[in-house]
Amino acid sequence: MIQLTDLSQSGHRHFAKDLFESAFPDEERPPFGELKHRNKQKFHFMVATNDTDDGDEFVGILSYWTFDDFVYIEHFAIEEELRNLGLGKAVFLNFLSQQQKQIVLEVELPHDETSDHRIEFYSSMGLISNPQQYIQPPYKKGQVSVPMMIMTKYEINDEEFSEIREILYHEVYKCTPSDILK
């Protein structure tokens, strides 16, 4: 059975850190050590495990933010040797089943087999791609912004997109749209 446990209560911190740093390029993640300084009411870093006869097996990670009108999934990854076994789907559906709000996530624009597969995965979970252009701000000084796509559970209009972007830029990336959209 798949379980999601807060990182602070998990015995898999080392595995979570290694997966976080290997699954996401440097420009698409903050330093792992800085996560503990984030707003604890809004930011959650979960460790996914699977109960087995040998105990709880580390499966992956899922970090997300809760806002008034939506839940933003910032990072989701499954251990490389456990991919394509249905565990990612189980973890993601487990998480989605607990959420009543709009779901928002950023994905790389389709440009290769991996990015295409990622978009197909989230689409198979019921998320839709939105047509608005989105730029992920840099996590660290000196890095560049990354063009991304916003996927959501429900279709969003331009006004909703702008509101979501404003919240993400302010709360997650500590910037404003005018800082990025020059």
Side-chain angles (χ1 to χ4, degrees):
M1 182 170 147
I2 296 294
Q3 297 287 329
L4 287 169
T5 307
D6 190 272
L7 178 65
S8 65
Q9 299 171 2
S10 170
H12 297 289
R13 183 177 176 82
H14 177 73
F15 293 117
K17 179 182 186 291
D18 288 349
L19 178 59
F20 182 72
E21 291 176 348
S22 66
F24 301 98
D26 191 47
E27 65 273 5
E28 292 180 22
R29 64 175 166 78
F32 189 79
E34 290 182 11
L35 298 178
K36 64 185 170 199
H37 301 296
R38 289 183 162 189
N39 182 324
K40 300 286 188 256
Q41 301 334 98
K42 295 179 181 179
F43 177 72
H44 312 275
F45 193 106
M46 308 302 284
V47 173
T49 57
N50 189 20
D51 290 334
T52 67
D53 293 337
D54 299 326
D56 66 336
E57 170 190 34
F58 177 75
V59 172
I61 57 171
L62 189 148
S63 70
Y64 68 98
W65 294 75
T66 52
F67 298 111
D68 290 342
D69 297 324
F70 66 95
V71 173
Y72 165 61
I73 299 171
E74 187 173 14
H75 295 97
F76 175 58
I78 299 298
E79 274 289 339
E80 190 168 0
E81 65 272 7
L82 298 176
R83 293 177 189 159
N84 300 313
L85 300 175
L87 292 170
K89 182 177 185 173
V91 171
F92 204 78
L93 289 175
N94 177 310
F95 179 76
L96 287 181
S97 71
Q98 300 172 37
Q99 307 306 315
Q100 303 303 313
K101 299 178 183 179
Q102 168 73 288
I103 298 293
V104 175
L105 61 91
E106 304 163 338
V107 293
E108 290 180 60
L109 296 172
H111 66 277
D112 61 14
E113 189 176 322
T114 301
S115 59
D116 290 345
H117 177 72
R118 192 172 293 120
I119 293 167
E120 288 171 17
F121 171 79
Y122 291 124
S123 294
S124 75
M125 299 291 108
L127 300 182
I128 59 170
S129 302
N130 289 278
Q132 297 91 347
Q133 291 187 343
Y134 178 78
I135 305 291
Q136 180 194 58
Y139 277 103
K140 302 172 201 130
K141 270 197 184 316
Q143 290 182 329
V144 297
S145 301
V146 180
M148 297 281 227
M149 177 171 49
I150 293 289
M151 295 187 78
T152 55
K153 184 172 23 173
Y154 311 113
E155 186 176 347
I156 57 175
N157 61 36
D158 290 344
E159 183 179 329
E160 292 166 318
F161 173 82
S162 293
E163 289 171 12
I164 288 169
R165 182 182 61 201
E166 181 82 26
I167 291 168
L168 294 180
Y169 279 19
H170 181 261
E171 297 284 336
V172 178
Y173 299 103
K174 307 297 184 208
C175 68
T176 66
S178 62
D179 294 336
I180 304 304
L181 307 173
K182 295 176 184 173

